[in-house]
Amino acid sequence: MIASDDVLKSLRARDFENTGHGPLYRRLQTALKGIIDDGILKVEDALPSERDLATELGISRVTVRNAVRALVDDGVLVQRHGAGTFVAPRVEQALSRLTSFTEDMTTRGMNPGAVWLEKSVGYATPEEAMALNLSPGTEVARFRRLRTANDKPMALEFAVVPKQFIPTPEDVDKSLYDALAKNGKKPDRALQRLRAELFDSDTARILGVPEGSAALYIERRSFLANGTPVEFTRSHYRGDSYDFIAEMQVDAR
């Protein structure tokens, strides 16, 4: 666990009082977030107390409290009654294995959840038809939902599946892959494309993060064992709560 003196030294070095724009608590919030992003404060490290931060930095406790509260609201910090404030854990997902969000959260001891925003049937758009190798005018089932872990918003997901694989969208409960498996159509492999983005106002509002904050955009095409496309999903993950891990083989040449 990092010493409080190291945190204070790092904050002073950032000279947050005299740099940046906006209210002082926002500048302190940015400085604290920077320390976490740079790995100076790591997951489960404790933050110095509000009193220590205020006294040592020469600012008011209200300023510290507002900065800490904003980081708690963003999911960067977590407060534990009687214990203090800690750097919140991040979810890590391996890119080498195809799993559902439900399975990922369950294996990490977290309670997966979903707030359904859309379950519908319609005709495939040109982009969807191309991704799923469908003929124009083919019917598809669409699923849009907010994914949560321990009731914390984690991702906004929009999935499209050929209607022949999910005849009745309302049959899908928590896991799309479970529903596909019941129909004998669970994906065998997938291709994913990832890129960094910034949340627009609508997506940020749904996920409860500031507009313009970091997002991971993931586009996935999943296939049956025979190569038939079965799923086309576009997701926006919170950049402050989700890490994707890739294991690579070293070329000995």
Side-chain angles (χ1 to χ4, degrees):
M1 183 177 293
I2 191 169
S4 294
D5 287 347
D6 293 334
V7 175
L8 295 168
K9 180 179 178 180
S10 298
L11 286 172
R12 293 192 192 98
R14 291 172 187 264
D15 194 25
F16 66 91
E17 291 184 82
N18 299 312
T19 58
H21 303 283
L24 183 57
Y25 86 90
R26 285 293 187 190
R27 284 178 271 160
L28 175 59
Q29 176 188 348
T30 300
L32 286 168
K33 181 68 163 50
I35 288 174
I36 295 169
D37 289 343
D38 290 346
I40 298 170
L41 268 174
K42 298 179 175 60
V43 169
E44 297 296 345
D45 279 348
L47 203 67
S49 69
E50 288 183 4
R51 181 178 61 184
D52 288 346
L53 284 171
T55 299
E56 296 298 329
L57 296 174
I59 57 180
S60 73
R61 291 186 65 173
V62 172
T63 296
V64 174
R65 186 174 302 117
N66 287 340
V68 170
R69 183 184 297 119
L71 290 171
V72 171
D73 291 343
D74 288 348
V76 177
L77 298 175
V78 60
Q79 292 180 317
R80 296 169 185 159
H81 184 68
T85 303
F86 301 83
V87 178
R90 298 170 65 93
V91 174
E92 293 184 351
Q93 179 181 338
L95 292 175
S96 58
R97 181 169 174 261
L98 178 60
T99 57
S100 69
F101 180 91
T102 300
E103 183 179 353
D104 285 337
M105 299 304 106
T106 301
T107 57
R108 288 165 176 76
M110 304 176 78
N111 181 33
V115 178
W116 286 103
L117 305 175
E118 178 186 359
K119 291 182 185 180
S120 65
V121 172
Y123 297 109
T125 66
E127 180 185 16
E128 294 164 353
M130 181 175 294
L132 294 168
N133 196 24
L134 300 174
S135 300
T138 301
E139 284 191 307
V140 294
R142 294 190 175 94
F143 305 92
R144 187 166 180 257
R145 54 188 166 172
L146 173 66
R147 307 308 302 262
T148 64
N150 291 346
D151 296 323
K152 174 185 174 181
M154 298 293 287
L156 186 62
E157 179 184 275
F158 181 59
V160 181
V161 175
K163 187 175 181 290
Q164 60 177 312
F165 300 144
I166 301 285
T168 308
E170 291 301 326
D171 288 345
V172 178
D173 185 17
K174 291 184 178 180
S175 172
L176 175 60
Y177 281 13
D178 283 351
L180 287 167
K182 289 178 181 178
N183 293 330
K185 302 299 181 182
K186 185 174 181 179
D188 179 74
R189 65 182 182 89
L191 296 175
Q192 289 197 142
R193 184 190 305 272
L194 293 80
R195 67 171 179 259
E197 289 190 354
L198 300 178
F199 280 119
D200 60 29
S201 58
D202 290 340
T203 307
R205 175 180 52 79
I206 294 172
L207 285 169
V209 298
E211 179 181 353
S213 56
L216 284 171
Y217 172 76
I218 302 175
E219 192 173 283
R220 181 175 68 243
R221 295 173 65 216
S222 301
F223 305 86
L224 301 178
N226 65 5
T228 301
V230 68
E231 172 206 18
F232 177 46
T233 295
R234 288 153 288 179
S235 303
H236 284 90
Y237 284 81
R238 288 179 55 153
D240 62 359
S241 302
Y242 225 93
D243 289 330
F244 286 83
I245 308 299
E247 182 177 352
M248 301 179 182
Q249 297 295 325
V250 177
D251 191 339
R253 289 179 298 176

